[in-house]
Amino acid sequence: MKFSYNWIHELTDGLGIDPPELMKLITMKTAECEGVEEHAPWLAQVCVARVISVELIEGSHNVKALVDAGPVHGQKQVVCGAPNCRPGVLTAYVPSGVTVAGGKEIRKATIGGVESDGMLASGDELDINRDHAGILELTGVEPGEPIPGCAPDAVIEVDNKSLTHRPDLWGHHGMAREVAAISGVKLKDPVDLTLIPQGEPAWHVDIRDFELCPRYSALVFENVKVGPSPLCLQQRLEAVGLNPISNVVDVTNFIMAELAQPMHAFDADWLHGETIIVRRAGEGEVFKALNDESYTLNTSNLVIADANGAVALAGVIGGAGSAINDKTTRIVLESANFQAANIRMTSSAVKIRTDASMRFEKAQDPLNTVRALARAVALLQEVAPGCRLVGGLVDSWQAAAVAPPIELPMTWLVRKLGRPIGADEVRGILESLEFLVDETAPGVFSVTVPTWRATKDITIKDDLLEEVGRMIGYATVPPVAPLQPVKQPWVNEERQFHHSVRELVAAQGFTESYNYSFLSEDAARQFHFEPGAHLRVINPISSEQSLMRLSLLPGIHRNLVENAKRYEEFRLFEIGNEIHKRGPGELPNEVPHLMAALYSKGDGKAGLFELKRLAECLMPGCTVTPAESGPNQHPARCSTIEWRGETAGTLYELHPSLMDTGRAAILDVNLAVLFRLGPAPRRYKPLRRYPTSEFDLSVIAGLRDLCGTLETKIRNAAGPLCEKVRFLYAYQGKPLADDQQSLSFRVTAGAADHTLSNEEVTGIRNAIIAELASAGFELR
């Protein structure tokens, strides 16, 4: 929403704050501003000039014009291409060195062999209007004078979201009220209600649903001459982003931008009958709008109609058949109030959001309709001299129930505000915002909310607290610690443990997935689970979610199948609960598990080793032992994971029947066991002072022999001087037999009090060789 500083200045008495400072005050006390920009600053240097003579430039559509730019600039020669540049015309002259709209800098130049000093400008080039067909044509002014009614301005842009609850701030008068309260100046009211004609109206209005249209007001004018608006009015609209169209339409837009009351003008000669009907649209009723689009309506839409049909979509857009045009001489000027929710739904349904609909959907004040018409009478007398009112005010409305005053105790206000404040200051703030304040008891105010704040904004005393707080400035409230005991909050250690596991697994390149805890009976059977063993949901969302899962595998399997359609390899994991039945009347046992999966197109061996590494990250020092495979596991690739004397999980490859496009390795860890065991105890170990010795061994073993078994034998045989044994690699091929493999290990040995001698290292090596030989293994 754009606000003109000049406009706000006119609506306040003696405002002495510059635009940047005003923007800051509005942000701190009313609504968030996005910035302030100058509008047409060049107008301070542009002046009126009279064209003295015009001479066509040979071979060009341009002309050489001699102009009188007044006593300051004198006579200037200007090259101009406008078709209406002719002797005697008064227009706008831009001196050289001035930058105009679009960043165009005017310089002395030679054009077509003719020197040009300055420029004769159109309204579009000066940001007065959007007319670029020719140069401005002025009347009633002398050369050297400024453009009448047009001056540099500053535009403050306010974030629309911060105005959603304030329908009054969608107009300059509402914002000027805030500025007056903030700066301590007086607000001017541009409306003269005495201009509303008395007597019997010439037209009538028939509202058939007061819930959707609480009020409809109108005035009828005749002898109206449609034409351009004065330049001052056009520039004011252009500054706030509204397109000047004609004097009648510009007046309605001007009032909308000033009083936040949308209006619409109908060509009375194109209306049938002298009764305006406000009704719901018929089912399937077709309406042709001003944008030349046709819309099919339904009974949820509200329309303005005459005897022949809809002439406007209420609160959103007017109709094409009754639009104002150059031949219009009689108008019906509408000023109505509509239900906010209905306008919003209609606007969304037809996919049209206009300046009018944006204001109506904020819940406008019904009393504003007549104020807007009074303002229109004054403006139309200026922009369309000779127009006459026909009859009195057309007005039909059903007044809403008046909200009772709000009781505001000062003791409560001070306590909630968090700082002392006097009753006189509170009264002054509320009255500056035009609340009616009456002290009904010592220290207790009875506050009557103005109609423009009573629609959906101010309803309880807490709202009044906010009004006082924002006006004094929340920065004036001293920061005080809460007056209550401070204690350390309870920490859910198991939840923190799960977070740490999640972070560790994600750091290894795994992507977390979330699956439902429910599954179908068919899914349970697919993974060889008996449906009767599951906890059954009494009121499932669907038949596909009737059982509580006994394992995370069905969900992870579904993730694997879907992602395998798009990726050659990937890593997934999930942390969730397995839900196991207990005895009658007992709550189920929920066991947290981590299930990690690694999918690839290879033989799957690498995936198993990678998940073994992940298990070692989670459980340092864990051991992996071959185990009998289950129905969901590969017949030859299944093992259990032991950690600190307990079984903590399983590591296996998914059964080929469950994954036909590739191989999937699965790591299933019982997090309840890990949490109960806690982190492995750590003991201090001093830094080694003496170097270690290393040597490698390659052991010939069978294809089914486990390197973990050999590693244990080597460690035990090496004795207390063995620091560590590390598996290096496996080899198959010549000269080994087909049923043999070579497993290589690196042994690190050392002592805490001396450097090992060659004899000691040789003794360790020989002890290992002897132990392996006794077990039937030989070195390569």
Side-chain angles (χ1 to χ4, degrees):
M1 179 70 182
K2 294 182 177 180
F3 290 91
S4 160
Y5 176 81
N6 290 350
W7 206 335
I8 292 175
H9 195 276
E10 290 176 6
L11 294 171
T12 52
D13 190 3
L15 180 64
I17 305 173
D18 62 15
E21 182 62 25
L22 181 60
M23 180 198 71
K24 294 178 183 177
L25 289 173
I26 292 174
T27 295
M28 296 305 297
K29 300 195 174 186
T30 302
E32 181 181 357
C33 296
E34 296 182 338
V36 58
E37 292 183 359
E38 290 185 322
H39 176 77
W42 45 82
L43 289 176
Q45 302 173 69
V46 174
C47 66
V48 176
R50 177 182 284 108
V51 178
I52 299 173
S53 63
V54 173
E55 182 181 339
L56 186 64
I57 299 175
E58 186 177 352
S60 171
H61 69 280
N62 295 329
V63 298
K64 177 176 69 176
L66 182 65
V67 301
D68 176 11
V72 175
H73 300 290
Q75 291 189 357
K76 297 289 184 181
Q77 180 174 285
V78 178
V79 173
C80 181
N84 61 335
C85 182
R86 62 187 185 277
V89 70
L90 287 166
T91 186
Y93 172 73
V94 183
S96 296
V98 176
T99 300
V100 294
K104 179 182 179 181
E105 183 179 355
I106 307 306
R107 298 179 179 179
K108 291 182 180 180
T110 300
I111 304 173
V114 177
E115 291 187 0
S116 179
D117 187 359
M119 179 183 76
L120 303 182
S122 67
D124 183 62
E125 290 168 319
L126 298 179
D127 261 0
I128 292 175
N129 55 34
R130 302 181 189 181
D131 182 9
H132 52 79
I135 57 176
L136 283 176
E137 295 193 28
L138 308 172
T139 58
V141 288
E142 294 296 326
E145 294 180 356
I147 307 299
C150 298
D153 199 354
V155 176
I156 299 172
E157 187 156 0
V158 180
D159 181 15
N160 286 354
K161 296 185 183 68
S162 63
L163 301 178
T164 298
H165 66 300
R166 293 291 302 272
D168 59 310
L169 294 187
W170 285 74
H172 280 72
H173 188 249
M175 185 59 75
R177 183 186 294 112
E178 291 286 318
V179 170
I182 292 170
S183 58
V185 299
K186 187 177 179 181
L187 176 70
K188 296 179 181 179
D189 190 352
V191 176
D192 182 3
L193 288 174
T194 62
L195 295 177
I196 296 295
Q198 304 299 313
E200 187 68 22
W203 284 54
H204 302 279
V205 60
D206 177 13
I207 301 177
R208 297 181 180 176
D209 192 331
F210 280 100
E211 183 180 352
L212 298 184
C213 179
R215 189 171 195 177
Y216 192 97
S217 310
L219 286 174
V220 182
F221 294 83
E222 65 180 9
N223 199 35
V224 176
K225 184 177 180 180
V226 176
S229 299
L231 292 180
C232 58
L233 177 57
Q234 293 187 46
Q235 193 218 350
R236 184 60 57 83
L237 293 176
E238 186 68 32
V240 295
L242 296 173
N243 181 24
I245 297 173
S246 68
N247 51 359
V248 174
V249 177
D250 291 353
V251 163
T252 64
N253 286 333
F254 184 93
I255 294 170
M256 178 180 67
E258 184 176 68
L259 302 179
Q261 174 62 45
M263 305 181 75
H264 185 67
F266 298 100
D267 187 326
D269 291 329
W270 288 95
L271 298 178
H272 301 82
E274 295 184 344
T275 299
I276 297 291
I277 304 169
V278 185
R279 60 170 174 81
R280 290 178 180 269
E283 191 66 40
E285 182 174 357
V286 178
F287 165 70
K288 187 172 183 180
L290 279 170
N291 58 6
D292 290 329
E293 297 286 339
S294 293
Y295 300 93
T296 301
L297 309 178
N298 57 48
T299 56
S300 67
N301 308 131
L302 189 70
V303 297
I304 311 301
D306 61 9
N308 280 16
V311 293
L313 187 54
V316 180
I317 193 170
S322 58
I324 302 299
N325 57 70
D326 295 342
K327 298 179 181 179
T328 298
T329 58
R330 294 196 310 141
I331 65 171
V332 176
L333 191 58
E334 166 197 284
S335 181
N337 183 267
F338 303 110
Q339 185 198 69
N342 180 261
I343 299 301
R344 175 62 174 167
M345 288 189 293
T346 297
S347 175
S348 299
V350 299
K351 296 180 174 60
I352 301 177
R353 201 146 190 250
T354 59
D355 291 302
S357 69
M358 284 192 291
R359 286 165 173 80
F360 277 127
E361 68 189 33
K362 305 297 183 293
Q364 290 292 328
D365 177 12
L367 298 186
N368 210 25
T369 62
V370 177
R371 285 175 51 80
L373 288 173
R375 183 65 168 142
V377 173
L379 291 173
L380 283 173
Q381 289 173 351
E382 293 182 21
V383 303
C387 68
R388 295 188 299 270
L389 282 161
V390 179
L393 174 68
V394 181
D395 192 23
S396 176
W397 71 309
Q398 190 176 73
V402 178
I406 301 173
E407 188 177 272
L408 182 63
M410 281 299 301
T411 54
W412 175 88
L413 178 68
V414 171
R415 178 171 59 84
K416 295 287 283 187
L417 192 57
R419 57 153 283 187
I421 186 171
D424 291 341
E425 186 178 359
V426 172
R427 178 191 285 271
I429 289 172
L430 294 177
E431 288 182 343
S432 70
L433 294 170
E434 301 192 16
F435 290 81
L436 297 178
V437 183
D438 183 27
E439 190 169 5
T440 56
V444 178
F445 289 134
S446 176
V447 181
T448 301
V449 181
T451 56
W452 57 86
R453 299 295 300 277
T455 52
K456 288 184 179 180
D457 187 12
I458 305 294
T459 56
I460 56 177
K461 62 183 179 180
D462 300 80
D463 297 327
L464 297 175
L465 166 69
E466 183 182 350
E467 295 298 297
V468 175
R470 69 185 179 88
M471 282 298 169
I472 65 172
Y474 292 117
T476 66
V477 179
V480 179
L483 300 179
Q484 60 183 17
V486 178
K487 59 182 181 180
Q488 185 176 358
W490 171 75
V491 177
N492 188 328
E493 294 183 356
E494 185 175 12
R495 183 178 179 86
Q496 282 190 337
F497 170 68
H498 290 174
H499 282 315
S500 67
V501 172
R502 181 175 286 108
E503 291 172 0
L504 186 149
V505 180
Q508 303 304 315
F510 288 78
T511 301
E512 186 173 9
S513 64
Y514 293 87
N515 294 299
Y516 286 118
S517 298
F518 312 101
L519 71 161
S520 65
E521 292 189 10
D522 289 341
R525 293 190 182 95
Q526 180 186 3
F527 293 94
H528 303 89
F529 295 127
E530 180 58 43
H534 291 73
L535 191 69
R536 187 173 294 276
V537 180
I538 296 176
N539 55 341
I541 299 173
S542 71
S543 60
E544 298 299 313
Q545 299 180 359
S546 60
L547 304 178
M548 304 292 286
R549 65 185 177 188
L550 290 175
S551 169
L552 276 59
L553 183 59
I556 285 289
H557 176 261
R558 184 167 55 252
N559 301 148
L560 289 168
V561 170
E562 290 301 317
N563 283 277
K565 298 175 182 177
R566 301 167 180 85
Y567 304 104
E568 293 288 324
E569 57 181 35
F570 53 86
R571 304 177 179 202
L572 298 173
F573 79 96
E574 180 182 6
I575 293 178
N577 289 337
E578 291 183 355
I579 302 164
H580 299 270
K581 287 168 60 174
R582 284 180 172 166
E586 291 186 278
L587 291 174
N589 182 25
E590 299 186 44
V591 184
H593 272 247
L594 161 71
M595 184 166 284
L598 196 152
Y599 174 85
S600 65
K601 294 290 188 179
D603 66 357
K605 184 187 298 184
L608 288 169
F609 280 116
E610 180 65 11
L611 289 181
K612 179 177 179 289
R613 187 187 65 80
L614 176 62
E616 290 171 342
C617 292
L618 290 167
M619 302 168 281
C622 67
T623 58
V624 179
T625 307
E628 184 178 348
S629 61
N632 299 317
Q633 300 160 350
H634 190 286
R637 292 183 175 179
C638 179
S639 57
T640 58
I641 300 174
E642 305 286 336
W643 189 51
R644 296 166 63 186
E646 294 195 30
T647 301
T650 56
L651 173 63
Y652 59 91
E653 185 178 305
L654 203 60
H655 196 281
S657 64
L658 295 173
M659 207 74 216
D660 57 359
T661 60
R663 298 295 188 96
I666 305 291
L667 172 65
D668 187 1
V669 179
N670 188 329
L671 295 181
V673 173
L674 268 63
F675 178 70
R676 177 168 51 79
L677 293 176
R682 297 183 180 181
R683 293 175 181 168
Y684 170 73
K685 187 176 181 180
L687 294 175
R688 175 174 292 282
R689 298 179 60 188
Y690 299 96
T692 60
S693 297
E694 294 181 338
F695 57 88
D696 295 346
L697 294 172
S698 294
V699 183
I700 298 175
L703 295 180
R704 303 298 294 173
D705 287 325
L706 302 176
C707 65
T709 302
L710 288 173
E711 184 178 318
T712 302
K713 290 181 179 297
I714 293 172
R715 189 184 302 276
N716 292 338
L721 295 180
C722 179
E723 286 290 320
K724 63 180 177 181
V725 178
R726 183 160 62 95
F727 171 73
L728 297 179
Y729 55 85
Y731 171 76
Q732 290 178 255
K734 294 182 179 181
L736 301 177
D738 293 341
D739 60 348
Q740 290 181 327
Q741 62 177 336
S742 173
L743 303 177
S744 297
F745 300 88
R746 177 162 294 162
V747 180
T748 303
D753 55 354
H754 67 283
T755 301
L756 295 181
S757 65
N758 288 338
E759 291 77 13
E760 288 177 302
V761 175
T762 301
I764 294 172
R765 179 182 174 87
N766 291 337
I768 294 173
I769 294 172
E771 176 65 23
L772 292 175
S774 65
F777 297 99
E778 59 180 272
L779 296 186
R780 181 180 167 197

